[in-house]
Amino acid sequence: MTAQTKGRSLFEAAIVRPALCDAFRKLDPRHQLKNPVMFVVWVGGLVTTGLFVQAMVGTGEAPAGFILSIALWLWFTVLFANFAEAMAEGRGKAQANSLRKARQELTARKLVRNESGSDGPAGLRRLFQQNGAFSAISADRLVRGDVVLVEAGELIPADGEVIEGVASVNESAITGESAPVIRESGGDRSAVTGGTKVLSDWLVIRVTAGTGESFLDRMIAMVEGARRQKTPNEIALNILLAALTIVFLLATVTLLPFSLYSVAAARQGSPVSVTVLIALLVCLIPTTIGALLSAIGIAGMDRMVQANVIAMSGKAVEAAGDVDVLLLDKTGTITLGNRQATGFIPADDVSQRTLADACQLASLADETPEGRSIVILAKEQYGLRARDIHELGATFVPFTAQTRMSGVNLNGREIRKGSADAIEAYVTARGGRFSTAIRSQVEAIATQGGTPLVVAEGGTVLGVIALKDIVKGGIKDRFGELRRMGIKTVMITGDNPQTAAAVAAEAGVDDFLAQATPEAKLKLIRDLQAGGRLVAMTGDGTNDAPALAQADVAVAMNSGTQAAKEAGNLVDLDSNPTKLIEIVEIGKQLLMTRGALTTFSIANDIAKYFAIIPAAFATTYPALNALNLMNLATPHSAVLSAVIFNALIIIALIPLALRGIRYRPIGAGPLLRRHLLIYGLGGVVAPFAGIKLIDMLLVALHLA
């Protein structure tokens, strides 16, 4: 997704023009049947059009001009509803078109020899270099299990898993981010997406998706909304709207015989016309939310796309709004992910400056985030400027899994830093001693959620470096917002319980799961769901797949494994674990928007009652004129004003339906009160003012 696509304006000409055409195409009765409320309006438009033709060729039940006006505005109501839906779909189609540009006609180098031969997986690239080992075929002909070679400067022909090699890959065609990422065999960064470009080195890839099944194909289908299924909440609301429509339809149908009987009995006045009854029905049923409901759902998925999140189903977007438990990984989500040096704690008889100098010397050539932070801390606290290890004539000793320490050899000095047990073995082998005081400091740092690194020179322990994975700024406030929304946050980490408890307390999460295994994550989710909770979590590894498949909202990282992406129902293209919080906010915004417009739609019917009912029965029951609170000019102007307002309010609310109402981190109770105050009261007041203004305009223009 490009930045240009994300920043697309609401009423861009490239979207509006096709939407206008689609609004007419959607007049197809097969499409209208999918929305019971608007289908009733469509039928009303058809009937009033027939009544107008009858009035033109013979005696009509009402003036032909009045019937035509009602018919036209009923058709406009249907067209405006179609336009709202087409606008929402158009924004998705525009984004899908930008994704299609990533698809090109590609030629793939497919391995034709048996890859399980003597060379083994480690020699796959050598197989490609042999004569007859591969065939060049169209990428469209690749199937699951095929093995292909992609080298620097070439586009990856299909979705797959890297089984050999490591390379820098440009994924900007998919994510919109220009910074390349590393993809390599094994681990959690082995998944690659068709259409992305290898910038350096080479990759041997096993294809995991056939033609039409790729991640890019699924993205295009989802953002276009072609496969968008109605969510349970949306289905329930549709049932409610259909029920209200049926109730009002039955009530309206009974009014005609009742009116005919009353006129016949009183032998005066005239019965209510079918045209007026249709106008009454259209104004009574919840046409506003019925017209905008589909657009709200599509726009919710569109907002996910703008956040660089692909929803594999509309249900996932809605479920995000209902989530009440968030499972968040500690490293990279709650914390920065890179441990930073926070202090130097010297041993007895060792000055802090001496310890800081030794720590900096041991870290000058250490390019890890921890090593760089040690150099910076020594400079900031003691003014020790960073030196060049080569100018000093020193030899850097890199960290290895066997020694579990690193350091430097300088002018006969051997300075080492590493884990407590590794340094203890190191100094003990040189006749030194690991004191009780140092051991106590190591335990204290670990208990507080930090990581201790012990520093020694020869057989002498100089002190301890305190490393800490820094909690992200502002994350505690975000968790506070989630708590006010009634969402429980649970931190998942592989750390020991003491470290996990310290980080959890600092971050402000409600609970934590320490020493988490795939089985423990899955059990936690099932236990929460058994208690009636809706659970969301993020993951990127194969070991996260079972928990992702179980979670109600499962956000897989695009940089993760294919297993994780297939298990999730949302894919974060930015591979940012903190995106889960934003996803929940987007889901909440969708539900808030739907609730607000439903409240407004039902509330604004009240004004229409007072406009149409007195006008409809003015001749049958003159006493009902007392209900003409708006003092509308004539029965015809009253009915027409209400129908016009009913149509125009749909257009007025399209921006709100597409953008969504402003998200606020509040609970269900305060949210309901806010909706009733703003959208309920506004829904009552706005039609009174709107209908009166339209009535005055019609009278001034002599149109009614």
Side-chain angles (χ1 to χ4, degrees):
M1 236 66 57
T2 64
Q4 182 181 3
T5 302
K6 290 184 187 180
R8 193 178 298 281
S9 63
L10 192 62
F11 288 101
E12 187 175 329
I15 296 177
V16 172
R17 283 194 295 268
L20 288 171
C21 297
D22 287 342
F24 285 92
R25 293 192 190 99
K26 290 176 182 289
L27 289 175
D28 186 331
R30 291 170 296 182
H31 179 83
Q32 295 299 317
L33 272 171
K34 298 176 183 178
N35 188 332
V37 177
M38 297 316 299
F39 179 68
V40 169
V41 182
W42 183 87
V43 172
L46 206 60
V47 173
T48 51
T49 301
L51 291 173
F52 167 69
V53 173
Q54 183 182 15
M56 290 295 293
V57 299
T59 303
E61 60 166 14
F66 172 70
I67 300 176
L68 176 62
S69 299
I70 295 296
L72 288 176
W73 280 103
L74 291 183
W75 286 120
F76 285 150
T77 303
V78 178
L79 286 172
F80 292 163
N82 292 346
F83 179 72
E85 183 178 6
M87 279 287 294
E89 291 174 349
R91 289 163 65 82
K93 288 176 181 177
Q95 290 165 332
N97 289 336
S98 69
L99 288 174
R100 282 193 177 92
K101 295 177 182 177
R103 294 204 301 196
Q104 301 181 25
E105 292 295 328
L106 301 178
T107 299
R109 279 175 287 178
K110 172 189 169 185
L111 184 69
V112 294
R113 288 192 178 179
N114 186 353
E115 65 179 78
S116 61
S118 58
D119 289 83
L124 284 174
R125 195 193 183 204
R126 289 200 301 274
L127 281 177
F128 276 97
Q129 295 170 341
Q130 298 175 11
N131 293 330
F134 71 88
S135 63
I137 65 171
S138 171
D140 293 339
R141 294 171 55 195
L142 291 173
V143 298
R144 289 176 182 264
D146 284 347
V147 176
V148 297
L149 171 67
V150 186
E151 295 185 312
E154 297 177 350
L155 292 174
I156 295 173
D159 291 2
E161 292 273 2
V162 178
I163 57 176
E164 185 181 336
V166 56
S168 174
V169 178
N170 179 3
E171 296 186 342
S172 60
I174 306 298
T175 66
E177 301 297 330
S178 58
V181 295
I182 300 299
R183 293 289 176 261
E184 58 187 332
S185 59
D188 295 340
R189 295 186 177 271
S190 60
V192 290
T193 305
T196 56
K197 187 175 185 178
V198 175
L199 298 179
S200 67
D201 303 292
W202 52 270
L203 297 172
V204 176
I205 300 166
R206 178 179 288 112
V207 176
T208 57
T211 304
E213 301 174 350
S214 71
F215 182 59
L216 192 58
D217 289 317
R218 284 184 289 162
M219 285 172 61
I220 292 171
M222 290 311 304
V223 298
E224 282 185 320
R227 301 179 187 174
R228 192 188 78 88
Q229 297 180 345
K230 284 184 170 60
T231 62
N233 186 290
E234 190 175 348
I235 292 172
L237 186 54
N238 266 319
I239 293 173
L240 173 63
L241 298 181
L244 290 174
T245 300
I246 292 171
V247 169
F248 285 123
L249 177 62
L250 294 174
T252 305
V253 167
T254 61
L255 291 177
L256 181 58
F258 184 75
S259 174
L260 291 170
Y261 173 79
S262 298
V263 169
R267 296 184 179 180
Q268 64 178 4
S270 58
V272 63
S273 68
V274 174
T275 301
V276 171
L277 286 177
I278 290 174
L280 174 63
L281 173 61
V282 169
C283 290
L284 290 182
I285 63 178
T287 49
T288 306
I289 184 61
L292 298 173
L293 187 59
S294 182
I296 293 169
I298 296 171
M301 296 185 71
D302 176 61
R303 283 192 290 275
M304 282 287 186
V305 173
Q306 291 179 43
N308 253 9
V309 177
I310 298 299
M312 294 306 170
S313 71
K315 183 179 178 181
V317 181
E318 185 177 287
D322 286 328
V323 159
D324 51 14
V325 178
L326 289 185
L327 304 185
L328 301 125
D329 186 48
K330 183 199 77 157
T331 305
T333 304
I334 295 173
T335 64
L336 293 175
N338 294 324
R339 295 175 298 176
Q340 305 289 309
T342 57
F344 301 124
I345 304 162
D348 296 338
D349 302 327
V350 177
S351 69
Q352 285 194 330
R353 187 177 181 85
T354 300
L355 172 61
D357 181 68
C359 293
Q360 190 184 66
L361 284 172
S363 306
L364 287 174
D366 186 350
E367 292 300 324
T368 64
E370 295 90 340
R372 290 194 296 269
S373 71
I374 292 170
V375 174
I376 293 171
L377 183 64
K379 179 180 178 181
E380 291 177 347
Q381 288 194 353
Y382 302 101
L384 298 171
R385 65 179 183 83
R387 291 150 283 183
D388 189 305
I389 193 170
H390 300 294
E391 291 181 359
L392 294 173
T395 302
F396 176 62
V397 179
F399 175 89
T400 66
Q402 290 73 31
T403 63
R404 288 181 296 155
M405 58 184 177
S406 63
V408 65
N409 296 332
L410 172 64
N411 298 329
R413 300 172 62 188
E414 295 183 358
I415 304 173
R416 299 289 185 271
K417 70 177 192 294
S419 62
D421 54 347
I423 294 297
E424 182 175 9
Y426 177 80
V427 298
T428 301
R430 285 157 178 75
R433 187 174 64 88
F434 203 85
S435 68
T436 303
I438 291 295
R439 203 181 307 278
S440 298
Q441 290 292 346
V442 168
E443 293 175 356
I445 293 170
T447 302
Q448 294 170 8
T451 301
L453 283 184
V454 181
V455 180
E457 182 175 343
T460 304
V461 176
L462 301 179
V464 184
I465 305 171
L467 296 177
K468 188 176 182 182
D469 195 352
I470 308 299
V471 172
K472 290 182 177 179
I475 197 76
K476 191 169 187 176
D477 295 334
R478 297 292 296 274
F479 289 147
E481 291 179 2
L482 293 171
R483 193 173 296 110
R484 288 192 292 274
M485 292 163 54
I487 297 176
K488 178 181 179 180
T489 51
V490 180
M491 182 184 77
I492 300 177
T493 177
D495 291 338
N496 60 65
Q498 294 86 355
T499 301
V503 176
E506 184 179 356
V509 295
D510 299 312
D511 201 355
F512 65 89
L513 176 66
Q515 296 175 332
T517 62
E519 293 78 13
K521 294 178 189 178
L522 187 59
K523 182 179 184 302
L524 175 61
I525 293 174
R526 286 176 173 170
D527 289 345
L528 290 168
Q529 290 173 332
R533 313 298 290 268
L534 262 71
V535 182
M537 75 162 289
T538 61
D540 60 359
T542 301
N543 63 342
D544 292 324
L548 286 171
Q550 182 68 35
D552 300 286
V553 176
V555 186
M557 302 294 102
N558 189 42
S559 62
T561 62
Q562 191 70 21
K565 288 196 284 188
E566 290 180 356
N569 50 20
L570 295 166
V571 176
D572 177 19
L573 301 180
D574 295 330
S575 301
N576 176 10
T578 59
K579 189 74 70 66
L580 182 58
I581 297 175
E582 188 177 348
I583 288 170
V584 170
E585 292 176 354
I586 292 172
K588 290 284 186 186
Q589 187 184 32
L590 169 65
L591 297 183
M592 288 178 178
T593 303
R594 187 180 293 161
L597 291 182
T598 301
T599 304
F600 183 90
S601 177
I602 294 175
N604 73 14
D605 286 343
I606 296 175
K608 300 170 194 173
Y609 302 158
F610 288 100
I612 293 186
I613 291 179
F617 296 94
T619 58
T620 307
Y621 299 104
L624 286 178
N625 195 51
L627 296 177
N628 186 10
L629 302 180
M630 289 178 276
N631 194 29
L632 302 176
T634 66
H636 284 174
S637 74
V639 173
L640 188 55
S641 297
V643 172
I644 292 174
F645 176 84
N646 195 62
L648 294 181
I649 197 65
I650 295 173
I651 286 291
L653 292 174
I654 286 178
L656 183 61
L658 296 185
R659 287 202 178 103
I661 67 172
R662 183 182 175 189
Y663 166 76
R664 294 175 182 273
I666 56 178
L671 179 63
L672 178 60
R673 289 192 293 270
R674 177 180 173 80
H675 279 176
L676 290 175
L677 180 62
I678 297 176
Y679 299 99
L681 184 60
V684 172
V685 173
F688 276 96
I691 291 172
K692 179 60 179 177
L693 287 174
I694 294 171
D695 179 75
M696 294 169 62
L697 183 62
L698 291 175
V699 171
L701 297 175
H702 304 289
L703 297 177

